[in-house]
Amino acid sequence: MSAEPKIVLDTDVKRRSTGSTGERSPRRAGVVPAAGHADLDPRALRADFPLLSSDRPGGRVVYLDSAASAQHPRSVLDAMDRYYETTHANVHRGVYAIAEEATRLYESARVAVGRFVGAPRPATEIVFTKNVTEAINLVAYSWARHELGAGDVVVLTEIEHHANLVPWLMLAQDRGVELRYLRLGADYQLDVSDIDRLVDGAKLVALTCASNVLGTVVDLAPVVAAAKRAGALVLADGAQLVPHRPVDVAALGVDFFGFTGHKMLGPTGIGVLWAREEILEVMPPFLGGGEMIRDVRLDGFTPNELPWKFEAGTPPIAEAVGLGAAVDYLSAVGLERVHAHESALTAYALDRLASEHGDDVTVFGPAADPVRRSGVISFAVRDVHPHDVAQVLDTRGICVRAGHHCAKPLMRCLGVPATTRASLYLYNDEEDVDELVDALRDVRRLFG
Amino acid sequence: MAGLEDLYREIILDHYRSPRNRGELPIPPAHRVEGFNPLCGDEIVVYLDVEDGVVSDLKISGQGCSISQSSASMMSAAAKGRTVAEVRTLVRSFKSMMSIHESQLGTDGDGEEGEDDDGSDDLLDPSSLGELAALAGVVKFPVRIKCATLSWNTLSQGLDEVESAES
């Protein structure tokens, strides 16, 4: 079976030009879709995703929860099956052929994933973790507990996922580190007007690249520049960005960068930490055990080389293979095209929600914008709790998330206990959005 | 597959739209206890006046989904004016209604539901629970059971706190 996605050249421009959605705004350098690329055809892509197939047992689902976890193309599932059926053995151990091959597959996945995000030295700078949460905890435990002490400052933002809050709150508790916060400003963007004062004296700025609640895509440049001026390192949480846009960690100018496999068509159980080699070199190990050592004596140990120093125990081998296949799939589709598709579809969704539901549906997030907004759409239906909204949508096979999205401080900032969130990805189309918009009429009818 | 009508019975929507005993009570003499559902961010605050072993007044505030709010509203109506012992029986009976079905569905009980059930042979039959029986349909939606039981667990905690304060 071919691992190539079914890319259908959609030359019928008229079919897509529904109102303003076909319009393309100018894009910032680095995220401009290459000229001449045809639009992707989400319906054709869906044929690659077994769970999204219309003959799925239980019926077709309208999957609008990719910000929580994305679905998998057949090529990812096949790569993992093939690995287990033909090549499984523990890595970095055996001298027999399949063990060598398993090691080769694992390490080549590392390089592929590193290249995918522009890591200058993927073979040494890409550390596989369990998820982005573990990637951030690795930095908090290894780097921060080694480098920071009482009175040192870490700057965060109030829009962070708990994964990029709680490790630092724990550090503050343990070590007396001071936490400061960038606040939410106009149009759901971070307020960076006072950034220099905020980062003054800071050792680390840790922030998300894109909000998992608001759909805000953070403009990292002014934050990174201010951090550099202040001599602080920058950790960026790329979990909500890497699946959706081309990312180049070197160009971003950050020092630590984390993301997770299952939001980018890969399996659960694998995440990634990238950090500059010179930083990783001086960081102490995180978890202790096999694999992360070069030598162990009864009175001590010598840590292994990068990146294995940070990978204690048998790693997620099949998951790495699956993530490698996911990266291949996304690269073949083209992230510029994924981005362009999602931007147009987001504009369409925001437009339809506003025109069909007016003031009865409030969206918590920036206006449509190909640079500053992603396809994460959080909203409230007047007088209906998000839990009830999601329940009614479920009866029509529509999968959305209701809750606080692991961002309770942001919920308090928005003044709501929870939101309903629909999130778009490469396999969603206008029909999915229409289903959502129509079903929200049922919601209003039932609770109105 | 369970339909929406199993969940959103008219009586439930009525309690959601017009919640009974909504508000606060002065503390003291009232006792105030909070409950949270971390899954959906729901918060319930129960204000409890207990005089001579009787729940003389009870108010509910906080915010939540239709199931948690209507369950709290029905609970307040059912509990007000009853003795603490009667209210405890009511709590056990309600939670039993919510958990028996859960185990029948083969879902993984989290150990919290039904923890008060041990040796309680005085449970009320669901048919004698009045309006509360309307919430029985919630068990077909396992993720919503916690919504329905939130206020009951909170009330139960409140009764414990009142009793331990008195002893």
Side-chain angles (χ1 to χ4, degrees):
Chain A
M1 165 166 262
S2 164
E4 289 298 301
K6 297 181 183 68
I7 299 167
V8 173
L9 298 183
D10 184 359
T11 48
D12 184 1
V13 180
K14 280 195 289 295
R15 199 187 64 78
R16 290 191 54 82
S17 56
T18 319
S20 61
T21 60
E23 296 298 317
R24 295 288 159 74
S25 326
R27 290 178 172 85
R28 203 151 58 194
V31 285
V32 180
H37 277 218
D39 292 345
L40 64 78
D41 180 349
R43 262 172 175 269
L45 290 184
R46 272 212 295 265
D48 295 338
F49 292 74
L51 193 140
L52 300 177
S53 139
S54 50
D55 44 349
R56 170 188 166 272
R60 174 170 125 76
V61 294
V62 175
Y63 192 73
L64 297 173
D65 198 20
S66 298
S69 199
Q71 299 301 341
H72 308 97
R74 173 74 66 193
S75 62
V76 167
L77 305 174
D78 285 349
M80 294 174 74
D81 279 352
R82 202 159 47 238
Y83 165 75
Y84 275 125
E85 287 167 7
T86 65
T87 324
H88 174 68
N90 214 332
V91 292
H92 306 137
R93 306 256 205 293
V95 291
Y96 48 93
I98 61 169
E100 294 271 14
E101 179 61 6
T103 303
R104 192 191 64 76
L105 285 175
Y106 179 67
E107 293 301 330
S108 56
R110 186 195 308 280
V111 170
V113 169
R115 288 201 177 122
F116 186 70
V117 294
R121 286 166 294 270
T124 52
E125 293 179 338
I126 293 290
V127 177
F128 283 133
T129 61
K130 187 169 65 180
N131 43 39
V132 70
T133 299
E134 190 181 271
I136 294 170
N137 274 277
L138 195 164
V139 178
Y141 277 90
S142 168
W143 179 82
R145 275 169 177 73
H146 190 242
E147 298 285 333
L148 306 186
D152 282 332
V153 174
V154 173
V155 177
L156 307 167
T157 87
E158 67 181 339
I159 70 171
E160 296 308 311
H161 188 284
H162 294 164
N164 197 27
L165 280 175
V166 181
W168 308 113
L169 290 165
M170 291 163 74
L171 180 73
Q173 249 172 21
D174 272 13
R175 296 292 166 92
V177 164
E178 180 193 342
L179 303 180
R180 295 181 193 157
Y181 293 92
L182 274 164
R183 302 290 175 184
L184 194 58
D187 197 30
Y188 297 95
Q189 303 291 334
L190 288 178
D191 178 5
V192 293
S193 59
D194 208 13
I195 182 77
D196 278 308
R197 193 191 56 79
L198 202 68
V199 301
D200 184 37
K203 294 276 174 65
L204 179 74
V205 179
L207 78 170
T208 186
C209 296
S211 165
N212 69 312
V213 176
L214 305 168
T216 302
V217 176
V218 173
D219 184 7
L220 290 178
V223 180
V224 171
K228 293 259 184 291
R229 285 194 293 275
L233 299 187
V234 177
L235 178 150
D237 171 0
Q240 297 289 346
L241 191 69
V242 171
H244 305 283
R245 296 187 188 191
V247 167
D248 184 321
V249 289
L252 287 176
V254 299
D255 303 284
F256 302 101
F257 189 85
F259 55 104
T260 197
H262 69 99
K263 294 188 201 295
M264 51 189 290
L265 312 182
T268 57
I270 187 159
V272 178
L273 173 70
W274 170 85
R276 287 194 288 112
E277 195 177 77
E278 58 270 32
I279 299 174
L280 289 173
E281 284 290 1
V282 297
M283 280 164 60
F286 172 39
L287 300 174
E291 192 79 10
M292 52 69 70
I293 44 83
R294 183 180 294 157
D295 186 27
V296 181
R297 303 164 304 276
L298 290 180
D299 63 350
F301 72 96
T302 312
N304 204 339
E305 294 167 10
L306 295 179
W308 308 295
K309 177 167 93 174
F310 297 106
E311 295 182 354
T314 297
I317 310 166
E319 287 77 4
V321 170
L323 183 55
V327 159
D328 288 346
Y329 186 91
L330 285 171
S331 301
V333 173
L335 275 177
E336 293 88 354
R337 298 165 80 233
V338 171
H339 178 199
H341 167 69
E342 287 176 17
S343 293
L345 192 58
T346 304
Y348 176 76
L350 293 174
D351 192 49
R352 285 230 53 206
L353 284 170
S355 63
E356 296 295 322
H357 295 289
D359 293 342
D360 288 319
V361 169
T362 305
V363 172
F364 302 102
D369 183 301
V371 175
R372 297 166 76 89
R373 202 197 200 297
S374 76
V376 169
I377 302 173
S378 273
F379 59 92
V381 181
R382 187 202 297 276
D383 295 334
V384 189
H385 191 277
H387 227 141
D388 293 315
V389 175
Q391 191 85 61
V392 177
L393 296 184
D394 174 58
T395 59
R396 294 182 50 155
I398 302 173
C399 310
V400 297
R401 180 53 54 105
H404 52 62
H405 316 294
C406 297
K408 290 202 84 171
L410 176 56
M411 292 294 120
R412 290 196 184 93
C413 169
L414 297 174
V416 295
T419 71
T420 310
R421 182 187 71 186
S423 51
L424 307 170
Y425 206 6
L426 73 174
Y427 36 59
N428 295 118
D429 63 4
E430 291 173 0
E431 201 179 299
D432 295 340
V433 170
D434 293 343
E435 291 267 0
L436 171 69
V437 171
D438 287 351
L440 288 176
R441 239 180 257 121
D442 291 356
V443 172
R444 288 167 56 196
R445 206 175 297 126
L446 184 62
F447 292 96
Chain B
M1 182 182 163
L4 277 184
E5 62 281 2
D6 292 314
L7 187 63
Y8 297 122
R9 307 278 294 277
E10 195 46 49
I11 185 75
I12 292 176
L13 292 174
D14 176 65
H15 274 269
Y16 177 52
R17 294 183 186 115
S18 319
R20 325 293 198 261
N21 300 303
R22 183 98 190 146
E24 302 177 1
L25 292 173
I27 321 163
H31 186 80
R32 178 184 189 277
V33 57
E34 291 179 11
F36 295 95
N37 182 346
L39 176 73
C40 54
D42 286 1
E43 300 173 10
I44 290 275
V45 186
V46 175
Y47 292 86
L48 198 57
D49 254 338
V50 178
E51 289 174 60
D52 303 327
V54 173
V55 177
S56 56
D57 204 357
L58 193 153
K59 295 274 190 200
I60 307 283
S61 74
Q63 50 195 351
C65 67
S66 60
I67 301 304
S68 74
Q69 294 296 292
S70 61
S71 181
S73 172
M74 290 185 199
M75 177 189 82
S76 72
K80 198 167 155 178
R82 297 213 200 196
T83 67
V84 169
E86 285 169 338
V87 172
R88 284 197 182 278
T89 302
L90 190 64
V91 170
R92 279 199 303 277
S93 305
F94 181 79
K95 290 185 66 178
S96 163
M97 181 174 82
M98 287 292 130
S99 58
I100 287 171
H101 298 262
E102 188 180 25
S103 59
Q104 281 172 347
L105 281 167
T107 55
D108 190 20
D110 61 6
E112 188 188 330
E113 320 294 341
E115 65 186 2
D116 300 348
D117 296 351
D118 315 347
S120 42
D121 42 19
D122 58 343
L123 293 183
L124 303 170
D125 189 78
S127 62
S128 64
L129 286 175
E131 288 183 346
L132 289 167
L135 284 162
V138 172
V139 295
K140 294 177 186 169
F141 301 82
V143 76
R144 306 301 295 274
I145 291 173
K146 279 199 178 300
C147 307
T149 54
L150 175 63
S151 56
W152 296 83
N153 287 329
T154 309
L155 174 61
S156 191
Q157 186 192 333
L159 292 173
D160 290 348
E161 289 175 10
V162 167
E163 289 195 333
S164 69
E166 283 170 354
S167 62

